[in-house]
Amino acid sequence: MATWQTQAKNVAMTIAVLSGIVMALTIGIGEAASVVLDPNDPLDPLDANTTAVFGGTPDLVDRIAVLGVFVLVLGSAGLGIIGPTGNPPFINNLVRWMPVVVGLIAFTAFSTEVFDIIQGDRDWSTYSDGQNSYMLFLASSFVAGLLSLFRR
């Protein structure tokens, strides 16, 4: 029988994966990859809709968070293409700890938005689908990461 922490973590991870998929599909998979790889590439500039999602040119924390979208969606919580074992140690650690990493980023860089979502104070109609899905990804990753730490 699963504990309430495990169940809440699994629900939060599911929300993170779903909102990450919506965010990536809203801005485009190629645009999301560009955010991670090089958002300042003058030969391949980001679309205006993409920069609007991030409130301007994505910075380091945005890049790591979008990398988290890819890891969670491709990892065992999402499509299961990358598992937490059987890979080089760096990849195993990345898959295992990404919810905690993104959760810490969400807590330190986006705490106002994250706690607005957790407390039910976010006005969803004020923001675009891309912005809402990104913030929901961060908030649910925060909850999943925090609960993951309780289980370790």
Side-chain angles (χ1 to χ4, degrees), residues 30-53:
E31 284 285 297
S34 292
V35 167
V36 174
L37 298 173
D38 188 3
N40 298 312
D41 184 357
L43 301 175
D44 186 22
L46 293 176
D47 185 73
N49 293 329
T50 301
T51 56
V53 166

Side-chain angles (χ1 to χ4, degrees), residues 91-152:
I91 301 297
N92 291 341
N93 284 330
L94 187 67
V95 171
R96 186 173 297 117
W97 289 101
M98 189 53 79
V100 175
V101 170
V102 174
L104 289 172
I105 287 172
F107 178 71
T108 58
F110 301 97
S111 59
T112 301
E113 294 86 351
V114 165
F115 287 108
D116 280 351
I117 291 172
I118 291 171
Q119 295 171 355
D121 293 335
R122 184 169 179 87
D123 183 2
W124 298 95
S125 63
T126 305
Y127 303 97
S128 71
D129 287 348
Q131 291 167 317
N132 282 329
S133 57
Y134 183 47
M135 289 303 132
L136 185 58
F137 168 76
L138 291 169
S140 55
S141 293
F142 169 72
V143 172
L146 184 64
L147 291 172
S148 292
L149 289 174
F150 287 148
R151 303 280 303 152
R152 295 192 191 274

Side-chain angles (χ1 to χ4, degrees), residues 71-96:
V71 170
L72 290 180
V73 169
L74 296 175
S76 56
L79 299 174
I81 295 170
I82 303 171
T85 59
N87 303 303
F90 172 75
I91 301 297
N92 291 341
N93 284 330
L94 187 67
V95 171
R96 186 173 297 117

